[in-house]
Structures are given as C-alpha cells and as structure tokens.
Amino acid sequence: MKSFSINRFGKLLCWVLRVNMRSLLAWAVGSIGAVFMGELMAIKMAGFNTPYSFLSATSQMGSVILVLVSLIMVSSVVSTINEKRKREAFMMLPATNLEKYLALIIYTSVVCMVCLTLAFVLGDCLRMLWFWISPPKGLELYSSFDGETLYYWWSSVLPLLVRDFTPDVLVGNPGFEYTAWYIAMELAVVAGMTLWIHSLMTLGGTLLRKYAFIITSAFFILCFSLFVKFVNYYDLSIFTSNWEKGKLVTQEVGTLAYVLAVVLPLFAIFNYWASFRIFKGFQLITNKWTNYDFHK
C-alpha cells in the first residue's frame, strides 16, 4: 500500500482510540477531580479576598498546566507502542506508514488535548455548582468588578482562560490600534513558534524511548537561551511599540520577525520529516534509549 486512504486512516484512528480508551477515560476522570479539588484548595490555601483575584490566578495556573500537559502528550506520541507486543500489533495493521504516523499524532495532539480541555471545563463546572450552592464561608465580598465584567465566586474561569491564550494584538482594547501588517506578522511568528515547538516535541517523542519530554524540553530551553543571548548581544528587535499617555504612537516590525516567520516553519517541516523517517524505521526490538538505530 503506497497511496493514502481516508477511509483506511479513519478506521486506523478508531482502532487507536479503542485500544487507548480505558486509559484515556481514566486520565479524563482523574483530571476532572484534580481541577475541582485544586480550585477548592486554592480558596483555602491562597486566601483570595475577591472572586476576580481567584479567577484570574486560576486561569493563569490553568494556562500553564494546559500548555505543560499538552507538550507532555505530544512528546509521548509513540509511548503507546513502546512495548514489543503493542508495537508488533500496531505494525501489522493494514495501513501505510504515513497513516499510522498521522493517527498517532492526531491521537496525542488533538484527541487527548480535547479530552483534557473538556476535563478542565467539567471540573470548573463542578466548582461553579459547589460555590453556587455553598459560597466560600468567611468571605463577605461575593462579587468583584475588573472594570468591564462583574465576577462572582460561582463565575466560570473559562473566559479569562481564553483571554490568556489570545494574543495581545487580537484583544482590541482602546489604545491598542495595531496595523493589519503588524498583527499579521505577530500572528505569523506566534504560529511559527507554536508549530516549531510541536514539531520539536514530536521529533523528541519519536526518537527517544525514555524521558522524551524532559530531554526535549532541556534542548528547547538551551535553544531559547542561546536565541535570547544572540538577540541581546546584537541588539536585535522583533516587534517594537512606543506608547505615550497610554496610547500607541509607533509600531515597527523588526527584521528578525521576518526571518522567524520564514525560518520557524522550515525548521518545523524538517522536524516532522525527520520524525516520520525515524517512525518508518521502527523495529520490534530497538535501543533502550532511542527508537532509531544510528549504526544501520
């Protein structure tokens, strides 16, 4: 089989879901309970005095956790077939290497992330119901205003969570009138960075059998540190904005932004290509640390 078949790919993805459904449901249920108990404990331990301060801190912590867990999931792209028996069953399926590779990526990057997000939403809904029935005791202030929205203890954290993930150029607050080109370039750089990080985690997860997330994260931190030093040493700018009396006066897209908008997607393509090449060379018995035989 050399051609890509949508029908065969769909059946393969369903097979992957059925095989991992039990563990996926267990993680989802555990995540719902963790979010619910974590938000209840935050009220007691952190001592928030207003609903907005509690919801704002919860959204920031939730953003960090969602990003961290999503990266862990991406880096575990082949963890479900690391065992010899599971790998043998997966490799014998009637599908092309590309279909198998994409099925694993969609499972870890899309399906697992959707389940994690739904678990966070359900856990937050349980907290909302709990606070609606029995508001936190000992706190006289039951609502707070952030200048735009009125928040209660039983308000949802999701709007603030969505705001945390939204780039500043898309917020549209007064005094933030960015040009269309400035917005497009910043979104291009953000999208390129996101794609490169995903591809890097995918490559690390495909190559390494153990500690894929830790080793790949250490490599990413090293690359990011060297990049920051390079930018500071040569005094380069990516995006520059000047403000006067709370209003945006000038905005400039640096040369480095154009370079990143082109280079990051190219690096991402290379990482995906290398990851797929490693995946095609999978064997039933491999090195203890890697899935690729460097000596062949």
Side-chain angles (χ1 to χ4, degrees):
M1 292 177 291
K2 295 183 179 180
S3 61
F4 186 89
S5 172
I6 296 295
N7 183 43
R8 193 168 57 232
F9 170 74
K11 293 180 179 179
L12 176 62
L13 183 59
C14 291
W15 182 89
V16 174
L17 290 175
R18 287 197 301 268
V19 170
N20 298 283
M21 183 60 68
R22 181 176 298 180
S23 61
L24 185 61
L25 289 177
W27 277 104
V29 173
S31 299
I32 294 173
V35 171
F36 174 63
M37 295 303 300
E39 292 185 353
L40 293 184
M41 293 175 60
I43 291 289
K44 301 294 183 180
M45 299 178 62
F48 295 105
N49 296 320
T50 64
Y52 177 72
S53 62
F54 162 70
L55 294 173
S56 179
T58 303
S59 67
Q60 294 174 9
M61 182 60 65
S63 301
V64 174
I65 293 176
L66 285 175
V67 170
L68 184 63
V69 175
S70 64
L71 292 178
I72 294 176
M73 290 178 176
V74 174
S75 63
S76 61
V77 58
V78 297
S79 62
T80 56
I81 58 172
N82 269 339
E83 297 180 9
K84 180 181 177 181
R85 177 180 57 83
K86 295 181 179 180
R87 179 171 298 199
E88 182 179 8
F90 185 76
M91 292 175 62
M92 292 180 62
L93 293 174
T96 63
N97 288 325
L98 181 59
E99 292 166 357
K100 296 175 183 178
Y101 179 72
L102 291 178
L104 293 178
I105 288 183
I106 290 179
Y107 171 73
T108 54
S109 301
V110 179
V111 176
C112 291
M113 195 59 206
V114 169
C115 290
L116 176 65
T117 304
L118 290 177
F120 187 91
V121 172
L122 292 176
D124 187 60
C125 289
L126 288 178
R127 187 268 310 166
M128 293 169 60
L129 179 62
W130 182 273
F131 282 175
W132 182 71
I133 296 175
S134 177
K137 297 180 180 180
L139 298 175
E140 298 181 358
L141 187 61
Y142 286 91
S143 64
S144 59
F145 189 68
D146 70 336
E148 296 180 357
T149 308
L150 186 64
Y151 293 94
Y152 300 91
W153 288 110
W154 54 84
S155 296
S156 174
V157 75
L158 296 181
L160 294 177
L161 188 67
V162 173
R163 187 187 67 181
D164 291 340
F165 279 109
T166 304
D168 293 337
V169 292
L170 297 179
V171 174
N173 292 331
F176 290 71
E177 292 81 9
Y178 295 105
T179 63
W181 183 248
Y182 189 95
I183 295 175
M185 286 305 303
E186 183 165 329
L187 292 179
V189 172
V190 171
M193 177 63 71
T194 303
L195 186 65
W196 177 70
I197 294 175
H198 182 274
S199 67
L200 181 65
M201 288 296 173
T202 302
L203 176 59
T206 310
L207 174 63
L208 302 172
R209 290 175 62 88
K210 295 183 178 180
Y211 311 113
F213 172 73
I214 297 175
I215 297 175
T216 310
S217 298
F219 178 76
F220 167 75
I221 294 174
L222 175 62
C223 293
F224 185 77
S225 301
L226 293 176
F227 174 76
V228 172
K229 289 185 178 180
F230 174 80
V231 171
N232 293 333
Y233 182 80
Y234 290 100
D235 194 21
L236 301 175
S237 64
I238 304 177
F239 297 99
T240 304
S241 302
N242 295 322
W243 303 80
E244 290 184 4
K245 298 180 180 180
K247 290 189 176 181
L248 184 63
V249 179
T250 61
Q251 50 190 289
E252 180 182 355
V253 179
T255 304
L256 189 57
Y258 296 100
V259 175
L260 292 176
V262 175
V263 171
L264 288 175
L266 292 178
F267 282 167
I269 293 174
F270 172 79
N271 288 340
Y272 288 128
W273 172 82
S275 175
F276 179 60
R277 187 175 179 83
I278 294 171
F279 179 82
K280 288 196 303 181
F282 271 17
Q283 304 293 328
L284 291 180
I285 301 177
T286 60
N287 184 277
K288 182 174 66 173
W289 290 96
T290 67
N291 286 307
Y292 187 71
D293 185 5
F294 291 95
H295 302 287
K296 64 179 181 179

